[in-house]
Each structure stands twice: as structure tokens, then as C-alpha cells.
Amino acid sequence: MDQANPLDFLNTVENVKYAKPSCYTRGALQSSQTAAEHMFRHAFICLLIPPLDGIDHDKLIIMALIHDITDFKSWDGMQNRKRFNMDYLACNLPAETAKHLQKYWTEY
């Protein structure tokens, strides 16, 4: 089995800064925002949520930062593409780190 290579993970994720968020649909008003800008903005929105009982801010920020992390490469079929891309990203991370990110990504 190949060893995890976090640098490959980071290099791949860097491509998200060129991708459009998957939430954009044909015919909808389009933004010039990339997937990376979209996730970054959501993370800051999460920071503005006041501390309330039952809200896990760490979880919110992690989910905001990874919810469109799989948009680095397009494939036919949205869900199949996203799952394939997440599996590819995960194989480049240490097992515990991959499991942690996959858990939040899947929940989102």
C-alpha cells in the first residue's frame, strides 16, 4: 500500500481555487467566486455565529472549509464525482486525518 503524502493532498486541493462551487446550477445567476472563495467565506460566516449552547463552532468551521473540497476536478455525475474525489484526497492523508475529514464531509 502506498504511503500517505499530505503534499499531494495540498497540491490537489490547491486546484479548488480555480473551480466553481458545485452549488452553481445551469441557468442560475452566476458569481465570479471560486469554490475556495466560497468555502473561505462560509468559514468566516461560521465565526460570526454567537456562542450558543449546542453549537459546535469547530465543527461548523471544518464543514465550511471542506464542504466543496471535492470540486477540484469535474466528472460525469455529481455525487459519483464528489465521492471519487474525496476518496482520492483521503488516500493522500494519514488514515486518522482522512477518517476525520471524511466524517465531516459525509455529514455535510
Side-chain angles (χ1 to χ4, degrees), residues 2-106:
D2 292 328
Q3 212 171 28
N5 186 343
L7 288 178
D8 282 347
F9 171 85
L10 292 173
N11 286 331
T12 302
V13 170
E14 185 175 355
N15 291 316
V16 175
K17 70 183 178 185
Y18 305 111
K20 290 290 182 190
S22 60
C23 62
Y24 290 161
T25 58
R26 289 182 189 213
L29 183 61
Q30 299 296 306
S31 168
S32 61
Q33 186 178 71
T34 66
E37 292 166 329
H38 171 77
M39 293 183 303
F40 183 76
R41 182 172 184 265
H42 278 78
F44 269 96
I45 290 169
C46 292
L47 287 173
L48 298 176
I49 297 172
L52 300 170
D53 288 341
I55 294 181
D56 182 345
H57 280 89
D58 291 342
K59 180 178 179 179
L60 287 176
I61 293 167
I62 290 169
M63 291 177 99
L65 288 172
I66 66 167
H67 76 277
D68 280 337
I69 201 170
T70 57
D71 289 352
F72 64 87
K73 182 173 170 109
S74 297
W75 301 93
D76 290 334
M78 176 83 65
Q79 265 330 106
N80 290 339
R81 167 182 65 96
K82 286 181 162 284
R83 172 53 55 197
F84 180 83
N85 288 352
M86 177 50 81
D87 290 345
Y88 175 78
L89 289 171
C91 79
N92 286 301
L93 293 170
E96 284 302 310
T97 303
K99 185 177 174 181
H100 179 72
L101 289 182
Q102 285 178 309
K103 175 185 145 200
Y104 288 115
W105 181 81
T106 301

